[in-house]
Amino acid sequence: MRFSRHIFAYTILALALAASLAGNYFLFEKAKLFYAREAQVRIEPISDRYAEENAMVRSRAKSKPRIVMFGESRCGMWRAYPAQNWGDVEIINRGIGGETTPQIMRRLEDDVLSLDPDLVILQMGDNDLKTMAVLPGTKSKTIELTYENITTIAKRISDRGIQVIVTTIFPPAPIELLRTPLWSDEVNESIDLVNRRLISFSYPRVQVADCDPILRQGKYIKPEYSIDTLHLKQAGYEALNSGLEDLVKSSLAKSQSR
């Protein structure tokens, strides 16, 4: 019996050690990713990832209404699940994972305006707001800058005579245990604050799509829609494609009547 208790105790210790090692490895990998992204921004603040594709788009005649989807990773991942219910349209995705709104704004001319879109759909802001978890005391400033950058991008697109749909920032899922040292409840609160301001934003040719009724359940994104804290699975994008259908079609109709 004593031998069995020893085996049990050793097993618990081994599992605890394994969990600790796994947690430390996760945090190390996250820290390395953050450092790599910071270094990349210092060297190349503007990404030219889509330069060749953009040149190809500009070289061909536009044969159907063109939608450009612009933003960060949750925009970029939408590429894998394009809408089949928005009509006979061309959808071009220009999302880049990890980017904040200042970086995204600097890509606006090359990755959006130069492509002659009829409609631009914006999804961005979560990468800005999650920084306050590791930058204490920045909540008010980050909220203001995030809102200002998103609305400035929308205004600049509209000023070119292009229809714009600004999607609210998608809610997060419950925070994964190993991500908690890199997260703060202020992030969730700030997403809601920015979204409330976006919903009341008004500007010619700009419409705001409140995605909470499509994606949210209580405080978080619906569990069947989330891969992890921030990212959506196929079901989430399919829900967005369906939930945004009427708004996309009405925006395209306005663009064709200009």
Side-chain angles (χ1 to χ4, degrees):
M1 183 68 69
R2 182 179 299 175
F3 179 75
S4 296
R5 286 200 298 269
H6 287 165
I7 292 296
F8 178 76
Y10 290 147
T11 301
I12 294 298
L13 286 172
L15 290 173
L17 177 61
S20 176
L21 290 172
N24 287 334
Y25 177 76
F26 174 85
L27 293 175
F28 171 76
E29 288 298 312
K30 283 291 182 183
K32 190 166 66 172
L33 176 62
F34 292 154
Y35 182 82
R37 284 179 174 170
E38 181 185 12
Q40 183 67 30
V41 171
R42 288 172 182 269
I43 295 173
E44 296 178 317
I46 308 176
S47 173
D48 63 351
R49 177 181 303 180
Y50 296 111
E52 291 186 10
E53 293 178 40
N54 290 342
M56 292 177 62
V57 172
R58 290 191 292 267
S59 70
R60 66 174 185 259
K62 185 168 64 174
S63 60
K64 58 184 69 175
R66 179 174 292 164
I67 300 173
V68 174
M69 309 186 75
F70 190 47
E72 28 78 317
S73 61
R74 292 193 283 188
C75 173
M77 291 173 67
W78 212 327
R79 179 187 297 104
Y81 313 106
Q84 305 298 321
N85 58 322
W86 291 354
D88 186 19
V89 298
E90 177 187 16
I91 300 176
I92 298 173
N93 193 296
R94 291 297 179 261
I96 296 181
E99 286 201 338
T100 57
T101 54
Q103 293 172 273
I104 294 168
M105 187 183 300
R106 296 182 72 172
R107 295 193 288 116
L108 179 59
E109 182 62 43
D110 289 343
D111 285 353
V112 178
L113 299 177
S114 74
L115 304 182
D116 188 26
D118 298 284
L119 170 64
V120 179
I121 300 176
L122 305 179
Q123 167 53 217
M124 60 187 70
D126 65 298
N127 287 326
D128 302 59
L129 298 177
K130 72 182 184 183
T131 62
M132 67 183 65
V134 292
L135 296 172
T138 61
K139 179 178 179 180
S140 297
K141 179 180 178 181
T142 304
I143 288 173
E144 188 63 32
L145 288 175
T146 303
Y147 172 80
E148 287 297 326
N149 287 339
I150 294 172
T151 54
T152 295
I153 291 170
K155 290 176 182 178
R156 287 177 58 186
I157 297 169
S158 170
D159 289 346
R160 294 286 191 95
I162 302 166
Q163 295 292 319
V164 186
I165 294 176
V166 178
T167 60
T168 54
I169 302 171
F170 302 159
I175 311 308
E176 303 146 291
L177 178 62
L178 294 177
R179 189 187 284 270
T180 51
L182 305 172
W183 196 265
S184 164
D185 285 341
E186 287 189 333
V187 180
N188 301 59
E189 297 166 6
S190 299
I191 288 173
D192 292 342
L193 288 169
V194 172
N195 282 345
R196 284 200 289 271
R197 292 185 66 183
L198 288 174
I199 289 168
S200 63
F201 174 67
S202 178
Y203 199 76
R205 289 176 291 277
V206 178
Q207 297 185 79
V208 179
D210 183 2
C211 295
D212 275 6
I214 302 172
L215 299 175
R216 184 183 285 266
Q217 179 177 298
K219 183 179 178 181
Y220 301 109
I221 195 169
K222 294 177 182 178
E224 63 266 30
Y225 292 165
S226 66
I227 295 175
D228 54 28
T229 299
L230 294 175
H231 299 104
L232 279 63
K233 62 176 64 169
Q234 180 175 348
Y237 288 109
E238 290 176 348
L240 286 167
N241 292 341
S242 177
L244 297 177
E245 179 178 356
D246 289 344
L247 183 56
V248 169
K249 288 183 175 179
S250 66
S251 296
L252 286 173
K254 291 176 183 176
S255 75
Q256 299 307 303
S257 64
R258 66 185 181 186

